[in-house]
Amino acid sequence: MSKEVKLFLGPNHPGMHGNSSVHLYVEGDTVVKARLVPGFLHRGFEKLMEKRLWFQNLALIPRICVPEPDINEMVFAMAIESLTKTEIPERAHWIRMIILELARIASHLMAMGGIGGATGLYTMPYWTMPDRDRILDIFEKITGARIYHMYIIPGGVRKDLPGGIEKEILAVLDYLESRKPEYENLLLKHRVIRTRTKGIAKLTKEEALEMGVTGVGLRATGLPYDIRKIDPYARYDKVEFSVPTATEGDAYARFTLKYLEVQQSINIIRQCIDMMPKEGPVNIKFTRGSALRLRVPAGSIYCHVESSRGEYGYFVVSDGGEMPYRIHVRGASYPQGLYGVESKLPGTRLEDVALWLGTMDFCSPEIDR
């Protein structure tokens, strides 16, 4: 008779994506029960936001998602702009899209590197992380920071793009496109990767919809669900791009879609640089008091964007005061990170747990918020 053993995956483990822990109960090499234990990283974001002025929250919210912080700035700004009925300058819309798509590429590169770590192919993170640093260099020149930018603000963006940055962005995009043959050979065609990921960590369309999974987890089952298409924000309705899908629903399909989405983001950024006004204001000043003492009219709004992990949204309630009355964060990885871990990991082999976490875009702060 086999004996059930409890193992701790994380928080300090190369297979754990972020500061969380999964308690695994295994018999032999098979997981029979899994329990997510968050609480190792950030806590109480939503309540902290209710105790800060509207603009003070700009320094707090990027930390809810470390690999892709700009989505928090975007949905927060969209919510305030909707409640105050504020129209932002045209150039600001396009700059926001450039920032969001660069952040999307950076997040996908980090995720693809994680696949290499979970399969023992460490060449992959050795390639993707330095390439991601090229994007962080761009962020640093635009915003002054590499990770937490606090650049997208209510009313537009904090400051205009520095002179000549468009050429530098295009140079980085050209470089990433030149890497396509190498990435495809290493990530998509590599025998180890294909053997370790095809048919592994499968999710059906019905299971994805039942759990509320979005992003590549849902698109890998055949549904082209993308907020940028079904509910466009900024100027996404003015650019052309496709939504890659697959039907297998396994780990291989999910990270293949990540790779394909990088190519789409490159295409979107190129269009933004071509189509955005070459000059003009990039932000507006609110008339309801100073920035720090902004009063947002009473009301509630739900705003969402398409993050690298799926639908990411804020439900914001204002009572007309200088601070939010209530904010709820819809973390994109919450369904698969909590429900998926505890309901779908049982029956999985121990060595495939990291592949589930990596390809299903597990992000600890979105859950432990």
Side-chain angles (χ1 to χ4, degrees):
M1 181 177 180
S2 60
K3 179 182 179 181
E4 183 179 286
V5 178
K6 182 178 180 180
L7 300 177
F8 300 88
L9 181 67
N12 187 18
H13 188 283
M16 172 54 66
H17 294 257
N19 287 354
S20 289
S21 178
V22 178
H23 291 188
L24 299 172
Y25 299 82
V26 302
E27 290 184 1
D29 293 328
T30 303
V31 177
V32 295
K33 185 170 68 172
R35 177 172 173 260
L36 178 69
V37 184
F40 292 92
L41 189 56
H42 303 303
R43 312 199 84 170
F45 274 119
E46 295 165 335
K47 285 301 176 185
L48 288 173
M49 292 162 70
E50 296 168 14
K51 299 300 181 182
R52 283 163 172 76
L53 302 175
W54 291 96
F55 266 74
Q56 283 181 324
N57 279 315
L58 293 175
L60 175 68
I61 56 178
R63 290 157 174 80
I64 302 178
C65 179
V66 182
E68 192 184 15
D70 307 272
I71 53 175
N72 291 280
E73 301 172 15
M74 184 65 177
V75 289
F76 185 67
M78 288 168 59
I80 294 178
E81 290 157 6
S82 296
L83 290 172
T84 57
K85 296 180 172 53
T86 299
E87 291 291 335
I88 72 170
E90 182 67 16
R91 181 171 167 83
H93 282 298
W94 296 96
I95 295 176
R96 284 179 171 186
M97 289 171 61
I98 292 173
I99 295 296
L100 291 173
E101 293 304 315
L102 285 173
R104 186 181 185 85
I105 295 174
S107 179
H108 278 334
L109 287 173
M110 177 182 284
M112 289 191 298
I115 303 305
T119 55
L121 187 65
Y122 285 96
T123 303
M124 201 66 209
Y126 293 158
W127 283 7
T128 60
M129 296 308 287
D131 287 354
R132 175 177 174 267
D133 273 345
R134 294 172 181 261
I135 296 177
L136 301 190
D137 290 341
I138 295 293
F139 281 143
E140 187 173 13
K141 292 178 180 180
I142 295 175
T143 72
R146 298 179 69 80
I147 304 297
Y148 301 131
H149 308 133
M150 290 161 275
Y151 181 70
I152 298 175
I153 63 172
V157 294
R158 178 158 47 87
K159 60 180 180 179
D160 204 350
L161 296 175
I165 196 64
E166 293 91 339
K167 291 183 179 179
E168 296 188 43
I169 294 174
L170 292 174
V172 170
L173 300 183
D174 290 341
Y175 168 78
L176 291 175
E177 287 185 316
S178 73
R179 298 275 279 163
K180 285 175 61 176
E182 295 175 307
Y183 274 131
E184 290 175 2
N185 285 331
L186 184 65
L187 183 65
L188 305 183
K189 300 177 182 179
H190 198 286
R191 180 179 177 183
V192 170
I193 295 289
R194 294 171 70 92
T195 302
R196 286 285 289 110
T197 59
K198 276 186 170 291
I200 299 299
K202 294 192 69 171
L203 194 68
T204 67
K205 183 188 303 183
E206 293 73 23
E207 290 171 335
L209 291 172
E210 181 181 359
M211 285 196 296
V213 173
T214 54
V216 296
L218 182 58
R219 291 192 286 273
T221 68
L223 287 180
Y225 183 88
D226 190 311
I227 303 298
R228 297 172 297 176
K229 285 286 191 181
I230 66 173
D231 189 14
Y233 48 96
R235 292 294 181 260
Y236 279 106
D237 56 338
K238 298 185 182 300
V239 297
E240 296 182 1
F241 65 99
S242 61
V243 180
T245 61
T247 56
E248 296 81 2
D250 58 6
Y252 183 82
R254 289 193 290 273
F255 72 72
T256 298
L257 293 184
K258 292 177 185 292
Y259 170 78
L260 296 176
E261 288 183 4
V262 168
Q263 314 309 317
Q264 294 301 316
S265 291
I266 290 174
N267 178 39
I268 291 173
I269 296 171
R270 291 188 185 280
Q271 293 180 69
C272 289
I273 292 176
D274 289 338
M275 299 172 68
M276 74 175 176
K278 301 308 177 187
E279 56 185 22
V282 296
N283 54 51
I284 59 98
K285 295 189 181 298
F286 287 91
T287 59
R288 299 175 62 88
S290 65
L292 283 180
R293 291 299 176 183
L294 173 67
R295 288 182 176 273
V296 174
S300 62
I301 188 74
Y302 176 72
C303 294
H304 57 178
V305 298
E306 183 67 29
S307 74
S308 63
R309 293 165 311 289
E311 180 180 348
Y312 195 94
Y314 276 26
F315 178 70
V316 178
V317 181
S318 173
D319 60 1
E322 297 177 348
M323 302 178 184
Y325 175 75
R326 182 75 176 95
I327 293 184
H328 173 70
V329 179
R330 197 272 184 198
S333 65
Y334 188 92
Q336 58 265 39
L338 181 61
Y339 305 123
V341 163
E342 299 191 354
S343 66
K344 301 304 176 185
L345 280 185
T348 302
R349 287 184 59 86
L350 183 60
E351 65 268 22
D352 296 331
V353 171
L355 286 174
W356 167 273
L357 298 175
T359 61
M360 288 299 294
D361 290 320
F362 180 86
C363 184
S364 301
E366 291 181 356
I367 299 168
D368 180 24
R369 61 185 189 280

